[in-house]
Amino acid sequence: MKAALLVIGALALSACRVDVNVNVSMADNGSGAVAVTVQTDAEVVARAPGLADDLRLTDVEAAGWTVEGPTATPAGGLTVTLQHPFSTPEEATALVASLSGTDGPLRAVTFSRTVTERAVTYRVTGSGRLDGIAAFTDPDLVAAVGATPYLDDIVAAQISPDDAVGLKFSVALPGTVDAGSATSATTADGALTWAVPADGTTVDLATTSVRSLERGGGWPALASGALIALVVWVVAAVVAVVLVARARSRRMRHRLRRFD
């Protein structure tokens, strides 16, 4: 069982309302961080007062995640934040996979970075699909967390999946996002965000962002400077040739006058 999934699963099991936000932020060189924020409402705490103590965060921290919480929210709920840095897009792919597992809500999500002479291209592939609350749970999870399986209580209360769980996936990439990609995402603060409904609908997470190497940066400035210097040199050379030619012409006319 993936360590980072334990927190999400344990809170989702207790849901009256649980919101999960997965954020991936990538820098120009392909490094960055994955952050996961899980928040429950006050009714969850009321129904499961021992929930905070049920969370086993040791395995999460051992897997390299920084953990903040669980802490109380002003509205009486609980929030837990996990964060893990990555050095390459491949590491980002592995981290997101660790959050979701094989049959979890984030499926086959991959990150890549391709560099050419003209541009750096960043790509995200994969999909989001949340088949109700059960997408966060399995027997191994319950055994590892040691939490009470509140799922039966949710079913008995006739709470709809969308009312119980909310999942959002956000990506912040360098460059300009291709207009034909991420059509189902919303944009805010430089990040693309997809809301994954809990009714089993598949959400396409495919995204392409391009950072041009032909505009801006140091190299274009140096190239422009070199071009200007070349133009100045050529102009100076032409002027010098003209001046030399005129001087020779004057000397030739002066000699012809002497012979006359």
Side-chain angles (χ1 to χ4, degrees), residues 103-199:
D103 300 319
L106 299 176
R107 306 189 178 192
V109 176
T110 64
F111 297 83
S112 65
R113 175 178 180 269
T114 305
V115 182
T116 65
E117 293 182 356
R118 295 185 176 183
V120 182
T121 302
Y122 306 85
R123 287 189 175 88
V124 180
T125 61
S127 61
R129 179 172 174 172
L130 184 54
D131 295 313
I133 302 169
F136 292 109
T137 68
D138 64 30
D140 291 338
L141 174 64
V142 175
V145 175
T148 303
Y150 302 106
L151 188 57
D152 292 340
D153 293 337
I154 297 170
V155 174
Q158 297 183 341
I159 301 172
S160 70
D162 277 323
D163 289 336
V165 178
L167 174 63
K168 291 183 178 180
F169 180 68
S170 299
V171 176
L173 299 173
T176 302
V177 175
D178 185 271
S181 68
T183 54
S184 61
T186 60
T187 304
D189 300 326
L192 298 168
T193 300
W194 292 264
V196 181
D199 60 1

Side-chain angles (χ1 to χ4, degrees), residues 21-211:
N21 297 303
V22 180
N23 302 280
V24 181
S25 179
M26 185 175 292
D28 289 351
N29 64 357
S31 65
V34 176
V36 183
T37 301
V38 186
Q39 183 171 315
T40 71
D41 63 9
E43 191 172 355
V44 170
V45 177
R47 292 194 178 192
L51 177 62
D53 294 332
D54 285 339
L55 295 178
R56 303 291 187 262
L57 305 180
T58 303
D59 289 342
V60 176
E61 293 172 325
W65 293 83
T66 299
V67 179
E68 295 182 11
T71 56
T73 67
L78 286 175
T79 184
V80 178
T81 299
L82 315 177
Q83 186 165 344
H84 200 303
F86 59 84
S87 300
T88 65
E90 291 75 18
E91 289 184 11
T93 299
L95 287 172
V96 172
S98 75
L99 291 173
S100 188
T102 305
D103 300 319
L106 299 176
R107 306 189 178 192
V109 176
T110 64
F111 297 83
S112 65
R113 175 178 180 269
T114 305
V115 182
T116 65
E117 293 182 356
R118 295 185 176 183
V120 182
T121 302
Y122 306 85
R123 287 189 175 88
V124 180
T125 61
S127 61
R129 179 172 174 172
L130 184 54
D131 295 313
I133 302 169
F136 292 109
T137 68
D138 64 30
D140 291 338
L141 174 64
V142 175
V145 175
T148 303
Y150 302 106
L151 188 57
D152 292 340
D153 293 337
I154 297 170
V155 174
Q158 297 183 341
I159 301 172
S160 70
D162 277 323
D163 289 336
V165 178
L167 174 63
K168 291 183 178 180
F169 180 68
S170 299
V171 176
L173 299 173
T176 302
V177 175
D178 185 271
S181 68
T183 54
S184 61
T186 60
T187 304
D189 300 326
L192 298 168
T193 300
W194 292 264
V196 181
D199 60 1
T201 301
T202 298
V203 178
D204 186 7
L205 306 177
T207 309
T208 300
S209 181
V210 179
R211 183 172 67 85

